[in-house]
Amino acid sequence: MVIFLFLILAINCLLGLWCYRGLSKARTLFDDRFGFNAVLTSTAMTSFALALPLFFIFPDNFPVMSIINLSLGVGTGWLFGRMVNGQTLIAGVFNGGIGGMMGTMAGAVAKDPSICGLPASAFSEEVTVLFFGSTGFILLALTVALLLFALRV
């Protein structure tokens, strides 16, 4: 299962880099409004999709993983946000941090649903982890596909 999660994490990193490459190549083609929306969408989903499997790989130390995922999300937001202007930089950093924390919290709830007062999962922990890891990958792939499609049209 850990090998699958490392594979998902590597593919999510590649998708995030592909999205960044596509947006940075075409940044002269879009205006501030599209750039702002593209940065908001890409940073939130990329940091969420990176934080979720990273938390599943190292679930034992919650405070350290929260700080690492928050830093990863803020770094992702800074990277995407600096493409357009200062406003998108601030929005990218904020949404990247939010996405990183969402991935951490979703992973924590998936591992132990009783945190939120939810009933225990009827599925095994492995099935839950594989489902959430795959769902994060699918969401990121759809987001990257839609963003890059919007640039080509």
Side-chain angles (χ1 to χ4, degrees), residues 38-145:
V39 165
L40 291 181
T41 306
S42 61
T43 57
M45 283 311 302
T46 303
S47 59
F48 175 78
L50 291 176
L52 192 61
L54 197 59
F55 179 79
F56 285 144
I57 292 170
F58 305 107
D60 296 330
N61 204 347
F62 183 77
V64 172
M65 286 312 300
S66 297
I67 292 170
I68 289 172
N69 286 338
L70 178 65
S71 302
L72 181 70
V74 167
T76 303
W78 178 80
L79 187 68
F80 278 93
R82 68 185 177 97
M83 279 192 284
V84 182
N85 57 26
Q87 292 174 346
T88 57
L89 178 67
I90 294 169
V93 167
F94 179 76
N95 276 344
I98 293 294
M101 291 311 296
M102 278 192 322
T104 304
M105 297 303 152
V109 171
K111 293 282 276 181
D112 185 15
S114 65
I115 292 173
C116 295
L118 297 171
S121 177
F123 300 109
S124 67
E125 184 176 334
E126 290 84 13
V127 171
T128 305
V129 167
L130 293 177
F131 173 75
F132 275 93
S134 301
T135 303
F137 162 70
I138 291 169
L139 285 174
L140 180 62
L142 286 174
T143 302
V144 170

Side-chain angles (χ1 to χ4, degrees), residues 10-26:
I11 292 172
N12 286 346
C13 286
L14 290 175
L15 278 173
L17 288 173
W18 186 38
C19 182
Y20 176 75
R21 185 174 162 259
L23 287 174
S24 66
K25 275 186 175 180

